[in-house]
Amino acid sequence: MAEVFFWCAVLLLAHTYFLYPLSLFLLEGAAQVLKNARDVRRAETVNQGSSGQRALPSVSLVVAAYNEASCIQQKLENSLALAYPAERFEVLIGSDGSSDGTDDIVRACSDARVRLSPAPRAGKTTVLNRCIPMAQGDIVVLSDANTMIEPEAIERLVRHFEDPEVGAVCGKLRLYNPTKQDYEESAYWSYESLIKMYEGRRGAVVGANGGLYAIRRSLFTLLPPSTIVDDFVIPLRILDQGYKVVYEEHAVAHEETTEDYGKEFGRRARIAAGNFQSIRMVPGLLLPTAGFPAFAFWSHKLLRWCAPALMGMALVANLFLLDRLFYQFTLFSQVLFYALAYLGKTGVLKRGTAKKAASVAYYFVTMNLAIVVGFWRFLRNSQRAAWDRTARA
């Protein structure tokens, strides 16, 4: 029985972290020939038809802001400089009871494309429930106040909506650290972005980057006010309605990471609590009848959230299998990995490959500890929906 538990845990962990991404890669390779043929036919159709100058849809950039005085001016300047027709573009700032002068900075903007929607503090979900229905654009682009968008990104997002089956488009968020070129989150974020890219090619990105994604306004349904991770639930609901959620790797935005690891851990725990909460909001994606989206949801998300329990199961089951040399080796490997994570926490290793390995191990372990904390908060219903901005350099 211990052996069964051990291999179940190991195989499920291997699936969510390695085999699922590999399966996406293989599916992409198998579909590449057909895709190339379709692209050739599409190119011929475009060349034989009109000049391809289709009218761009109207777009509303919606930003939920809470005490963002330190960056809201830069956000406004960045948004108004985007390469999108001015007459078809607006910026809607939803202030969630900001008390640091954020509202005054937005009001001082003389550009008629900027609107402010202030209200007492109630949480980001309430801001989005208020602002998305009042947006004038057919397409709503959601972004964070501290996320800076590259000029061509909006047009690259909205061109996907020419396909009536597309309901949402996720952009590419590039994280940067002003003091460290290499940091733990960069490798993991690159790995996650690669998975999103392959999921997007199959029309089933499971969750968006909150810094930059677009939806059809007509597909938005009001969220429960207690919703914690709106950027995860909104695209999932659209996916659950039968629409595609795709990924545009050339629609890029930039966001700074934080140096405060305590607050970063709290942010991850908050997201984890919201992830568990989201399961009941998209019941259709739990069923095999949903097809590939269900496979992606289970493989990329649900099993990932079970990783802490699976890691614990593998370790405990391994303790009952030490009569064989192979399982002595697997136990040694697990202990070595956790020891490496501890060294990553202490910072004893100063440079080289060992330091990078320890940092990655520490990041992985703390990420899964945050899932445990988030699950506990979910069970106790103690995670509030209102968010606090993360301090940046």
Side-chain angles (χ1 to χ4, degrees), residues 201-230:
R201 290 177 182 176
R202 301 191 64 80
V205 176
V206 187
N209 300 321
L212 181 64
Y213 70 103
I215 65 171
R216 293 187 191 273
R217 180 168 55 87
S218 60
L219 297 181
F220 175 76
T221 55
L222 295 179
L223 299 169
S226 60
T227 303
I228 299 169
V229 283
D230 54 274

Side-chain angles (χ1 to χ4, degrees), residues 47 60 72 95 104 161 173 187 197 207 247 262 292 327 341 355 360:
N47 290 334
S60 295
I72 197 65
S95 178
D104 294 334
F161 291 103
L173 188 62
M197 181 183 73
Y247 182 76
F292 181 81
Y327 290 110
K355 180 184 183 303
V360 170

Side-chain angles (χ1 to χ4, degrees), residues 61-77 79-80 90-96 98-118 130-131 145:
L61 177 63
V62 174
V63 179
Y66 170 66
N67 286 350
E68 299 287 0
S70 61
C71 63
I72 197 65
Q73 182 63 43
Q74 183 184 7
K75 181 64 175 181
L76 291 172
E77 293 171 359
S79 302
L80 295 174
E90 70 165 349
V91 180
L92 180 55
I93 307 294
S95 178
D96 189 32
S98 297
S99 58
D100 66 340
T102 296
D103 295 4
D104 294 334
I105 294 172
V106 178
R107 289 192 184 98
C109 181
S110 59
D111 196 303
R113 291 176 292 171
V114 175
R115 289 195 290 157
L116 173 68
S117 175
R130 180 177 77 249
C131 291

Side-chain angles (χ1 to χ4, degrees), residues 286-312:
L286 299 175
L287 304 175
T289 52
F292 181 81
F295 174 68
F297 188 45
W298 277 92
S299 300
H300 190 182
K301 296 300 179 181
L302 291 177
L303 285 179
R304 192 78 62 85
W305 303 339
C306 294
L310 295 173
M311 291 164 67

Side-chain angles (χ1 to χ4, degrees), residues 322-341:
L322 298 180
D323 56 331
R324 278 172 276 180
L325 181 61
F326 174 79
Y327 290 110
Q328 293 173 15
F329 173 76
T330 57
L331 180 63
F332 173 77
S333 299
Q334 292 185 74
V335 173
L336 180 63
F337 176 77
Y338 293 118
L340 198 61

Side-chain angles (χ1 to χ4, degrees), residues 263-319:
K263 288 188 176 180
E264 182 63 18
F265 183 88
R267 184 183 72 86
R268 292 180 202 153
R270 177 182 182 275
I271 292 173
N275 288 339
F276 288 110
Q277 178 200 60
S278 70
I279 295 174
R280 67 173 182 267
M281 300 183 191
V282 285
L285 293 181
L286 299 175
L287 304 175
T289 52
F292 181 81
F295 174 68
F297 188 45
W298 277 92
S299 300
H300 190 182
K301 296 300 179 181
L302 291 177
L303 285 179
R304 192 78 62 85
W305 303 339
C306 294
L310 295 173
M311 291 164 67
M313 184 189 302
L315 183 61
V316 173
N318 206 157
L319 294 175

